[in-house]
Amino acid sequence: MYPRVIALFLSLFAAGTLQANDAVEMPLRFDPLSSLNEAGGLQPPQTFEIREQHVRVPTVDLTVETDDLWERIRRGFSMPDLNTELVTDRQIYYINRPGALRQIFTRGQRYLYHIVDELERRGMPTELALLPMVESAFNPMALSSAQASGLWQFIPSTGKSYNLEQNWWVDERRDVIASTNAALDYLQTIYEMHGDWQLALASYNWGEGAVGRAVAKNRAAGLPTEYQHLNMPGETRYYVPKLQALKNIVAQPELFGITLPRIPNRPYFVTVESRVALDLATAARLAETSVDEILALNPGYKRPVLPTNGSQSLVIPASQVEAFLINLSRHDPASASWRTYELREGEGLEGVADRLGISASRLRQVNGLSPRARIGSGYTLIVPSESEGDRITLANLLPTKPQAGAVEPPPPTRTLIQRTVVRGKNGRSVVVERKVTVQDSAPSRDRNEKADKGKAGKRAVEEREKPAAKGSAKAAPAGKAGKPEKADKPTRQEKAEKPAKGAGKPPAPPAKAKAEPPKRR
């Protein structure tokens, strides 16, 4: 027995020595000695291999910065995954709409780098960079029925709570930089409140108070308090599954047959400060880019011209900032496409319009002023562009209501006598008169025309209701139904005085708008 063990040991040692000397990586291999097989009458010679059991997994070096923004987002995923049927349902929903998904990703190219940069600076999960896809489909001009606005869909009250300015000139709920800072502040606050990102997201959609009450209710009933176990509205129930579905698609787009647009891992835009009065059309020309691109990067401005108080912040494509600064240094403010004009003491709108070569009605229209509105010194007027293309592109930025400082006089009123016939205690009819004051929005000329038409119609009716001439058939008694008498043919004058068809009829009441529940944010 001992000779066999010694021979086996020597063969193994020899094989290892040869492998070490050759410095060749290969699996350990040995052949049992033939003498051992022959001596014991065992099986024919066999070859044995000892293979390496460790499977090498490709690794990612996180110390090397990637050039692909999507890869950077994937590296920062840190929320616990949600695996429910609703997630599968939303995945099917998105992959069945590749055109809409492509549009969302394309819009997001402008904003994703800035959002991811802010998330990493705060140490927050990068899944949150996909949240504007759920909220607004990366449309900064999105406005919900509850008046939630911008990429992150802030309602006015919450926007004010997070210092997002909202006035006649700007709405920072739509501003990419300001609204992103506010949204991440809010998300951090509600995460610290719940200690759970899925509950924080539910709070962002439903309200932190509502989520807190739902959690307390489950806890009191001895039920799980995780997101998927709460009793919540349908919109909130689908909210986190939507984000999870988008996360899964971004994590493995090839698995879903989706091709993500390439987004370089570098800033898409930069912010520049200008002390020169600018409008958005001129800014686009100086940056050598389209007006639509400038509007997409500066959606917080509600007017085609930037506010005149202090320096003006403008967001410019990073690739065009050098050209913008060179052109701005050569810019003549008098060549601006749009500008503002502040009324001086004693000036009126009509006189300013004549001096600027524009009709007063057009000047009122682009400033949201009615023909009866009165403005005084210090009021800032928007002076429209002479370029037809700029007017069309920026038409949605023209105001429909005037800025603060315009005085709208109250409309004239009329006092009408309303008579109502009621039955008294003794059974007799009693006429009750009541004075009613109503607003008259129609100009006096229109009122006179309507009054003349009404008088003409009344005269025509009186002519038809006159007693018949002697010899004609007797008129039926009042209050009794009878066959109407055949009227004489109206004269030419009576035809002219006949009221127009439908005159005197009260206008139909407007249809009642369907009330929509407010969005809680």
Side-chain angles (χ1 to χ4, degrees):
M1 177 178 178
Y2 290 107
R4 293 184 182 179
V5 172
I6 293 172
L8 178 60
F9 177 79
L10 291 175
S11 64
L12 288 172
F13 179 78
T17 304
L18 289 173
Q19 183 177 0
N21 292 335
D22 295 341
V24 178
E25 291 187 1
M26 57 183 296
L28 294 177
R29 179 189 182 104
F30 66 92
D31 296 329
L33 296 177
S34 58
S35 59
L36 296 177
N37 294 328
E38 294 171 356
L42 301 176
Q43 299 175 356
Q46 296 181 7
T47 301
F48 298 92
E49 291 185 359
I50 301 176
R51 295 191 177 274
E52 186 179 7
Q53 298 298 316
H54 177 67
V55 178
R56 295 183 180 179
V57 179
T59 58
V60 176
D61 187 356
L62 297 179
T63 62
V64 178
E65 186 176 355
T66 177
D67 190 45
D68 181 16
L69 187 62
W70 293 116
E71 182 58 34
R72 182 180 174 186
I73 292 173
R74 294 183 194 107
R75 293 181 182 184
F77 284 167
S78 56
M79 286 186 190
D81 287 330
L82 182 69
N83 297 309
T84 63
E85 292 182 358
L86 291 183
V87 175
T88 304
D89 176 81
R90 292 300 87 187
Q91 286 175 176
I92 295 171
Y93 174 85
Y94 284 123
I95 63 178
N96 283 337
R97 292 162 175 79
L101 202 58
R102 194 179 306 112
Q103 185 181 37
I104 293 173
F105 289 144
T106 302
R107 280 190 194 137
Q109 292 181 99
R110 296 186 178 100
Y111 317 116
L112 270 171
Y113 180 90
H114 174 75
I115 297 172
V116 172
D117 217 39
E118 283 297 307
L119 287 169
E120 289 185 345
R121 187 178 64 81
R122 296 167 180 251
M124 299 172 71
T126 53
E127 290 98 322
L128 296 174
L130 309 178
L131 193 59
M133 297 184 186
V134 178
E135 285 290 340
S136 61
F138 269 122
N139 178 10
M141 305 299 289
L143 183 67
S144 76
S145 58
Q147 301 306 300
S149 183
L151 290 178
W152 299 93
Q153 291 289 282
F154 276 99
I155 61 173
S157 58
T158 309
K160 290 177 182 176
S161 300
Y162 283 85
N163 302 317
L164 295 178
E165 191 174 356
Q166 301 161 58
N167 56 40
W168 196 81
W169 290 97
V170 298
D171 186 348
E172 288 189 335
R173 297 179 300 156
R174 302 189 322 209
D175 184 274
V176 176
I177 297 173
S179 67
T180 297
N181 288 336
L184 300 190
D185 286 345
Y186 184 31
L187 285 164
Q188 280 184 311
T189 300
I190 51 184
Y191 171 70
E192 291 168 3
M193 182 184 300
H194 296 294
D196 182 284
W197 275 115
Q198 292 175 1
L199 293 180
L201 290 169
S203 298
Y204 192 86
N205 177 257
W206 189 20
E208 55 269 32
V211 172
R213 288 189 293 271
V215 169
K217 185 177 179 180
N218 275 29
R219 185 178 291 116
L223 299 173
T225 57
E226 287 80 10
Y227 165 81
Q228 62 267 32
H229 299 292
L230 299 183
N231 185 17
M232 63 188 79
E235 180 184 337
T236 310
R237 185 168 299 283
Y238 274 91
Y239 191 72
V240 178
K242 285 180 181 178
L243 183 63
Q244 182 67 54
L246 289 167
K247 173 184 175 180
N248 294 344
I249 291 171
V250 170
Q252 293 181 294
E254 64 283 351
L255 186 64
F256 299 93
I258 300 293
T259 302
L260 299 177
R262 185 180 179 280
I263 305 180
N265 186 24
R266 57 176 179 268
Y268 186 89
F269 60 77
V270 294
T271 303
V272 295
E273 299 288 333
S274 171
R275 296 192 176 276
V276 180
L278 285 176
D279 64 282
L280 296 175
T282 300
R285 189 172 68 252
L286 297 179
E288 300 178 7
T289 188
S290 67
V291 175
D292 289 334
E293 181 71 5
I294 292 296
L295 288 175
L297 294 176
N298 298 272
Y301 290 120
K302 297 167 64 177
R303 303 291 168 246
V305 60
L306 276 61
T308 54
N309 51 341
S311 62
Q312 302 164 325
S313 295
L314 199 67
V315 180
I316 300 294
S319 59
Q320 300 300 116
V321 66
E322 186 177 352
F324 175 80
L325 293 175
I326 293 173
N327 292 331
L328 181 64
S329 63
R330 304 169 181 169
H331 172 61
D332 178 10
S335 65
S337 299
W338 294 71
R339 53 197 173 110
T340 58
Y341 184 89
E342 188 173 314
L343 288 179
R344 303 186 184 94
E345 189 70 33
E347 284 186 324
L349 183 141
E350 284 74 14
V352 171
D354 289 341
R355 192 157 58 254
L356 296 176
I358 183 175
S359 68
S361 60
R362 172 65 177 157
L363 194 57
R364 286 183 178 275
Q365 180 189 16
V366 297
N367 284 276
L369 296 166
S370 73
R372 301 170 59 249
R374 298 290 177 262
I375 54 178
S377 60
Y379 191 90
T380 303
L381 291 169
I382 296 175
V383 182
S385 166
E386 296 179 359
S387 169
E388 183 67 24
D390 290 345
R391 283 207 299 266
I392 294 172
T393 305
L394 301 172
N396 63 326
L397 298 184
L398 295 179
T400 55
K401 294 180 181 179
Q403 60 181 299
V407 178
E408 190 77 30
T413 59
R414 288 185 295 164
T415 302
L416 302 178
I417 305 298
Q418 187 181 49
R419 295 181 176 87
T420 308
V421 179
V422 298
R423 189 172 297 279
K425 293 181 180 179
N426 55 3
R428 293 184 179 180
S429 298
V430 180
V431 178
V432 179
E433 294 185 353
R434 185 165 63 96
K435 291 183 178 181
V436 180
T437 302
V438 296
Q439 290 183 348
D440 188 5
S441 58
S444 58
R445 181 172 175 271
D446 294 342
R447 289 203 308 273
N448 294 336
E449 288 177 356
K450 289 180 180 179
D452 292 341
K453 288 182 180 180
K455 290 177 182 177
K458 187 176 180 181
R459 285 198 301 272
V461 172
E462 288 174 352
E463 289 292 335
R464 288 197 298 272
E465 291 181 350
K466 282 182 180 179
K470 190 175 180 180
S472 62
K474 190 175 181 181
K480 292 185 180 180
K483 189 175 181 179
E485 298 296 327
K486 187 175 181 180
D488 295 333
K489 291 183 179 180
T491 63
R492 184 175 299 175
Q493 180 180 357
E494 289 172 340
K495 284 182 179 178
E497 292 175 346
K498 186 176 180 181
K501 186 176 181 181
K505 290 183 180 180
K512 204 175 257 188
K514 186 177 180 182
E516 297 184 6
K519 187 171 183 178
R520 299 184 182 180
R521 184 163 316 118

